[in-house]
Amino acid sequence: MKAFSILTVLAAAAVAATSGTSIASEVLGEPLFIYVKGPGETLTSGLSSSSSSEQQQAADTEAEAAAVSSAPAEAEYTTPAAPTTSAYEEPAATSSAADEAGSGDEQASSGGAIPDGQGNKFNVPSGGVRFPWNYGNSDKVVPITPGSTNGGWAMSPNQACMPGTWCPYACESGYYSAQWDPSALLYNGAGSMNGGLFADASGKLTKPYPSKPFCAPGMFNAYIKNTLAQSVSACQTIYPGNEAMLIPTVAQGNGGTAPLNVVPSSYWLGTSSQFYVNLAGSTDAQCVWGTAAKAVGNWGPYIFGAGQSKDGNTYISLQYNPLYLSVGFKAADTYNVRIECASGACNFPTGGKCQCEKGVCSVDNGCTVTLTGDAKANFVIY
């Protein structure tokens, strides 16, 4: 059985109806790998040696219990105030922000020097490396749980950026980290956790691609549109990195929208983005490892996928989260999601729709929509 990047399978899923194949995602720990099976073939799975293993999850869960507020049940979430306008400003470009700037991660950064902390008061563990940015920085970098051991880095709350290691960081919704280990050439092996900046033996940070920005604009062609009364958060996995679902995109209720980070084909090894989507009423605080008793993060009800392929098309996918269903949570009890074409040419599966409603998806095991050219689409939550 061969493991593919999720983008490979998103493209394959677009023709699955005619090829007779089906797809299934790795349930836990390998959100960026999907196994393809042909007719009559038994699905098998295998976990990698990365820190997103069940052992790491257990450690992360314990640390997060102390580091961040516990995620309450859906009915107990605090409902954020609904905005009067969209939760994002779409780029002025007619097609994508990447087109306006050049070609995605090849855009030259403005300034480009690694900041010195910008006066932040984030936690720095003994011997650790300080997070270079503060809130509201011009590089569009977003701190993750800055009061915890990770101190703002896109790492689990109980992990520190230490000398001699790679330290990933998160970007604003719609943007992706354009820095990673140039020698990391395996999806699932040496270097697969080496995203972000490198801290040398003295703790000095190095930018592996000096001419590239820290955060580059994604395709800006897929958005969450939330028609519920409460907010919903989508949690992107960190890859290359420890694959924890820590990078938040929050779509406010009552029509709020937010761009998903759809990476271009030039992203690391051609991989794409994966999002675990939380229950209604969720915020960025629920972008953490969950448990069978706490349906947040990797236990959220939905999984979205998105990325541009080498063929120039963008493939976006929708499915119920198998892990959410495996312990008895009912898909019919949560909200519904459909993909709608906002503009341009969107190719839908046979039947002309891609949706999961009242516990049933329009295509078994989820569906994929192809966005051609400058097409744009919404994941409509209703």
Side-chain angles (χ1 to χ4, degrees):
M1 188 69 65
K2 183 178 181 182
F4 295 85
S5 72
I6 187 174
L7 185 55
T8 302
V9 178
L10 293 186
V15 296
T18 57
S19 65
T21 60
S22 60
I23 64 171
S25 64
E26 185 68 57
V27 173
L28 176 64
E30 301 306 316
L32 288 170
F33 287 89
I34 292 183
Y35 293 93
V36 178
K37 64 176 181 178
E41 186 177 1
T42 301
L43 179 68
T44 61
S45 63
L47 297 177
S48 76
S49 58
S50 73
S51 66
S52 60
S53 65
E54 293 185 28
Q55 290 88 343
Q56 181 63 47
Q57 179 196 354
D60 293 347
T61 302
E62 181 178 354
E64 285 158 0
V68 298
S69 58
S70 298
E74 180 176 9
E76 297 174 349
Y77 284 163
T78 300
T79 306
T84 56
T85 59
S86 295
Y88 73 101
E89 294 182 1
E90 187 172 325
T94 56
S95 56
S96 72
D99 291 337
E100 181 182 74
S103 56
D105 64 352
E106 295 178 359
Q107 176 194 8
S109 66
S110 57
I114 299 174
D116 61 0
Q118 299 178 333
N120 74 52
K121 304 296 183 182
F122 301 164
N123 183 49
V124 183
S126 177
V129 179
R130 176 175 292 279
F131 189 67
W133 294 274
N134 208 335
Y135 287 107
N137 59 80
S138 61
D139 290 315
K140 300 185 181 299
V141 175
V142 175
I144 302 294
T145 55
S148 300
T149 300
N150 64 312
W153 296 100
M155 304 167 72
S156 297
N158 64 331
Q159 293 179 305
C161 173
M162 301 298 291
T165 66
W166 285 86
C167 304
Y169 56 86
C171 298
E172 290 181 10
S173 297
Y175 291 77
Y176 65 94
S177 170
Q179 303 293 326
W180 55 77
D181 182 358
S183 67
L185 301 176
L186 296 174
Y187 296 113
N188 187 22
S192 63
M193 292 180 61
N194 296 350
L197 308 178
F198 180 71
D200 66 16
S202 68
K204 180 181 179 181
L205 293 168
T206 301
K207 189 180 183 185
Y209 296 101
S211 65
K212 296 180 181 180
F214 295 103
C215 294
M219 300 305 296
F220 277 93
N221 57 359
Y223 305 81
I224 296 176
K225 182 178 179 181
N226 180 15
T227 68
L228 304 179
Q230 297 177 301
S231 63
V232 173
S233 61
C235 309
Q236 184 184 344
T237 55
I238 302 161
Y239 196 64
N242 70 358
E243 299 182 43
M245 60 305 300
L246 303 177
I247 306 175
T249 291
V250 181
Q252 301 293 348
N254 298 317
T257 57
L260 288 171
N261 171 26
V262 183
V263 293
S265 60
S266 57
Y267 188 63
W268 182 69
L269 302 185
T271 53
S272 60
S273 303
Q274 176 107 351
F275 306 86
Y276 289 93
V277 188
N278 281 312
L279 292 164
S282 54
T283 67
D284 56 354
Q286 279 73 52
C287 286
V288 293
W289 285 107
T291 67
K294 188 173 72 172
V296 300
N298 61 313
W299 291 76
Y302 285 97
I303 298 175
F304 297 170
Q308 184 192 41
S309 176
K310 296 295 185 182
D311 63 10
N313 294 326
T314 293
Y315 297 90
I316 59 176
S317 68
L318 162 66
Q319 70 174 97
Y320 285 118
N321 183 357
L323 188 58
Y324 178 81
L325 303 178
S326 69
V327 292
F329 292 117
K330 303 297 183 183
D333 293 340
T334 189
Y335 52 79
N336 307 308
V337 181
R338 70 173 181 272
I339 295 177
E340 68 172 13
C341 192
S343 63
C346 307
N347 295 331
F348 284 81
T350 301
K353 61 183 178 180
C354 179
Q355 69 180 36
C356 293
E357 183 177 84
K358 298 179 180 178
V360 178
C361 292
S362 54
V363 177
D364 290 343
N365 298 320
C367 48
T368 299
V369 174
T370 305
L371 308 183
T372 64
D374 60 357
K376 296 183 180 182
N378 296 319
F379 288 83
V380 181
I381 297 175
Y382 61 103

